[in-house]
Amino acid sequence: GVLSVRVSNDLMGKDPQYGVPKQMRVEYTLDGVAGTVTVAENQNLRLPAAAWRSIPPAPVVRSGELVSFAKEKHTFTKPDASKAVIETKAPQAPLSLTGPWQVSFQAGRGAPATATFDRLISLHEHADPGIRYFSGTAVWKTSFDVPQSALAGSKSAIHLDLGRVAVIAGVKLNGQDLGILWCDPFRVDVTKFLKPGSNQIEIAVTNLWVNRLIGDEQEPADVEWAGKPLAKWPDWFVKHGARPSKNRLTFTTWHHWQKGDALKPSGLIGPVLLRFATVTPLESAH
């Protein structure tokens, strides 16, 4: 009944094989179309982006109001056990924030200072190795127009939906800090912060360091391993000398990742949408 779930040993009730990386293969049917997906242990199972784009968020009840993102019929049970119904109208279609996006990268992490993304993709799919292997915080910025008609009246609400994020995002809209989004769904109410005409959005995304570790494995080794653990502290580290492998940015005492390991989805992946909802007082139920 959901489109996203954490693939952990809790799903099995226990760890079936401790210390061994595992994968889960899922067969699913969505809107009558069958598919399969394989997800690594401790990653998020998330069905295709097209599915997320088409399925609106669930309705929300707040302060005596029903916020609905689709034309729906809702049945409520009153305190006297009688039933009441609210039929919501179809809201305005979602507005896609397509970019282009100006992306700035945290300094000293191997990426260029800035780059332009004509469309949103995972950083690990980028042609530039500095971006493909980037780990740290990057900031996506763009501007978009909202027509006055979309903001008119008090019977609507607008949510910003970031789509897929890897892994945590801070959002600013027209200079207002809207806080941190750290899990699905990556959505925030922006009704009060939008204005007619041009709007500016800034999304800072911090990812994991897995891709940078794999990126460093493309460089010559400058430590000695005893299997997974470090065999000994390298001389250049002990003596605070120059590192032999100039392009390596990380140093660990455990050999977590290998040169050929698969990179992980990273950054702001989207799609980024403004989702419009209707707001109906619960007292109007009949």
Side-chain angles (χ1 to χ4, degrees):
V2 297
L3 293 179
S4 180
V5 64
R6 182 99 174 146
V7 177
S8 70
N9 292 304
D10 292 339
L11 295 175
M12 302 293 296
K14 64 177 182 178
D15 189 338
Q17 195 169 9
Y18 182 76
V20 177
K22 293 168 281 293
Q23 292 184 328
M24 183 174 75
R25 183 175 184 269
V26 178
E27 298 178 359
Y28 66 90
T29 302
L30 181 64
D31 292 337
V33 179
T36 61
V37 62
T38 300
V39 188
E41 181 180 359
N42 295 322
Q43 299 299 309
N44 285 327
L45 163 66
R46 187 180 177 98
L47 296 190
W52 285 80
R53 186 191 299 270
S54 63
I55 298 178
V60 177
V61 174
R62 66 178 191 193
S63 303
E65 297 176 326
L66 174 66
V67 180
S68 176
F69 293 86
K71 182 180 180 180
E72 299 170 315
K73 179 183 289 187
H74 304 272
T75 302
F76 296 87
T77 302
K78 295 182 177 181
D80 63 1
S82 64
K83 303 292 184 181
V85 174
I86 291 179
E87 293 191 41
T88 58
K89 297 180 179 179
Q92 178 177 324
L95 175 64
S96 180
L97 277 57
T98 57
W101 298 82
Q102 301 300 317
V103 185
S104 58
F105 295 91
Q106 189 175 357
R109 303 299 180 96
T114 61
T116 300
F117 284 48
D118 292 327
R119 61 183 181 88
L120 290 176
I121 61 170
S122 172
L123 296 182
H124 86 286
E125 297 176 339
H126 202 279
D128 186 328
I131 296 177
R132 185 164 64 249
Y133 299 127
F134 175 79
S135 293
T137 300
V139 180
W140 281 253
K141 296 180 181 179
T142 195
S143 59
F144 59 95
D145 289 331
V146 178
Q148 174 69 54
S149 59
L151 304 178
S154 60
K155 300 301 182 182
S156 63
I158 307 172
H159 287 197
L160 173 68
D161 186 341
L162 301 185
R164 189 177 185 185
V165 174
V167 293
I168 186 170
V171 181
K172 291 183 179 179
L173 179 60
N174 294 326
Q176 296 291 321
D177 190 338
L178 304 187
I180 302 297
L181 304 176
W182 61 275
C183 65
D184 285 315
F186 289 90
R187 302 187 187 117
V188 61
D189 190 331
V190 295
T191 310
K192 298 179 180 179
F193 306 104
L194 288 169
K195 59 184 182 180
S198 180
N199 291 259
Q200 288 72 46
I201 190 169
E202 179 177 317
I203 304 168
V205 179
T206 302
N207 63 358
L208 302 177
W209 71 326
V210 173
N211 290 354
R212 184 65 260 171
L213 289 171
I214 296 174
D216 279 7
E217 289 302 304
Q218 315 304 311
E219 304 296 327
D222 55 9
V223 300
E224 181 182 345
W225 300 104
K228 288 290 186 181
L230 194 67
K232 62 178 182 179
W233 295 103
D235 288 341
W236 60 264
F237 182 86
V238 174
K239 297 177 180 178
H240 304 285
R243 188 167 190 175
S245 188
K246 303 298 183 183
N247 293 324
R248 282 181 175 261
L249 301 178
T250 62
F251 175 75
T252 70
T253 59
W254 191 269
H255 205 186
H256 297 272
W257 304 95
Q258 309 297 319
K259 180 177 181 179
D261 287 339
L263 298 173
K264 307 299 181 183
S266 173
L268 179 62
I269 305 171
V272 178
L273 304 172
L274 287 180
R275 292 189 178 272
F276 297 86
T278 57
V279 179
T280 307
L282 294 181
E283 62 186 21
S284 67
H286 59 275

